[in-house]
Amino acid sequence: MTWLGACILALALSPASSWAAGYTQTKYPIVLVHGLFGFDNIGPVDYWYGIPSALRADGAKVYVAQVSAANSTEMRGEQLLTQVKQILAATGATKVNLIGHSHGGPTTRYVASVRPDLVASVTSVGGVNQGSAVADVILGVAPPGSLSNTVLVSVTNGLASIISFLSGGSGQSQNSLEAAKSLSTAGSLKFNLAHPEGVPTTACGEGAYSVSGVSYFSWSGAKAYTNVFDIMDPALALTSLAFGGAKNDGLVASCSTRLGRVIRDDYAMNHMDEVNQTIGLVNLFETNPVTLYRQQANRLKNLGL
């Protein structure tokens, strides 16, 4: 047998590649839901950088929702519910798989809570499921003495840099104060009492894997500074100071991101890496975030979702 023939035979006998046709072909459409200050694009750059096309490449039907960049979880949730109904009407599907990043996590949870019949699964990526210390700082409700003035200034400066970088917006109504309230520790607790599905009942634990026919998953990063060439990383390093040393991705504590089945909460990624930003400048020594979305689509596929 020739060397080329041996190589071809070895490839034929090897396990199917994760890039095989149909790898991401879920039963139900995937709907991606952006987080706080989510944008349509920054110039030619989409919020979900390279992710929708990677999912579609091997069979997934993918839709990118556009909800308010900054508003309450309930307002964003109602906007998303309207779009979910439109997607179902257009595709003939009976349910959708919701994947939400950051504030998109609780936004997707709202829809699954009020209309579980329309949702097959919820995947929270870096989701603010039990509040964020950064939101508490914005509202001035961080515990007295928990942050020095120097740290407080650093956190707010970092956040200002992030906000100034993110531009565009969804064209929906905006209310930054309501967004901050929703993402605060107190606001998240109130939301969770009304919509408890998938939320852990123990500190930094897992939540129910399935509630009312909806499967719940989560994953997140835990490293604020990951790439010296990414202009967002210094700002995230500053906002990470709000967590007092607790594991976080720069904007959300790892324990707060946990929902349902926790795939991992400690990838060496920051909050922007989780959506392959900025323009793919992520940690070269960690699994590429696009791969994680593809793996999740395959996981849903294998579950018949």
Side-chain angles (χ1 to χ4, degrees), residues 57 62 71 80 124 133 138 145 147 188 208 210 212 233 242 247 289 293:
V62 183
N71 217 314
L80 176 59
S124 175
I138 294 172
L147 297 174
S188 295
S210 180
S212 300
D233 282 30
K247 190 169 60 174
Y293 286 90

Side-chain angles (χ1 to χ4, degrees), residues 47-49 51 101 125-126 219-233 236 248-251 267-293:
Y47 183 95
W48 304 90
Y49 188 69
I51 295 167
H101 175 242
V125 180
W219 63 265
S220 64
K223 188 176 179 63
Y225 205 114
T226 62
N227 191 311
V228 296
F229 297 106
D230 189 342
I231 61 174
M232 294 299 293
D233 282 30
L236 288 166
N248 69 89
D249 66 3
L251 285 179
Y267 287 104
M269 300 179 184
N270 61 39
H271 202 68
M272 296 299 287
D273 292 342
E274 291 161 358
V275 285
N276 201 31
Q277 295 289 0
T278 305
I279 58 172
L281 293 174
V282 297
N283 193 339
L284 297 177
F285 304 100
E286 180 57 276
T287 305
N288 189 280
V290 176
T291 298
L292 297 185
Y293 286 90

Side-chain angles (χ1 to χ4, degrees), residues 182-204:
S182 286
L183 297 173
S184 69
T185 301
S188 295
L189 175 60
K190 181 180 179 181
F191 179 80
N192 290 346
L193 290 174
H195 309 285
E197 297 86 355
V199 177
T201 57
T202 59
C204 215

Side-chain angles (χ1 to χ4, degrees), residues 99-171:
I99 299 180
H101 175 242
S102 189
H103 198 181
T107 302
T108 58
R109 288 172 46 208
Y110 175 88
V111 175
S113 179
V114 301
R115 288 299 307 269
D117 56 309
L118 302 183
V119 180
S121 71
V122 165
T123 301
S124 175
V125 180
V128 192
N129 294 312
Q130 299 200 50
S132 170
V134 176
D136 293 342
V137 169
I138 294 172
L139 295 172
V141 294
S146 63
L147 297 174
S148 69
N149 184 65
T150 300
V151 171
L152 181 61
V153 170
S154 295
V155 170
T156 53
N157 285 347
L159 185 63
S161 297
I162 293 169
I163 293 171
S164 66
F165 178 78
L166 299 175
S167 63
S170 63

Side-chain angles (χ1 to χ4, degrees), residues 80-100:
L80 176 59
L81 178 56
T82 296
Q83 292 175 51
V84 165
K85 291 177 179 178
Q86 292 170 344
I87 291 168
L88 295 179
T91 62
T94 56
K95 296 183 178 183
V96 294
N97 290 302
L98 297 174
I99 299 180

Side-chain angles (χ1 to χ4, degrees), residues 17 19-25 57-59 301:
S17 167
W19 293 90
Y23 182 77
T24 61
Q25 192 170 351
D58 290 316
K301 172 192 173 181

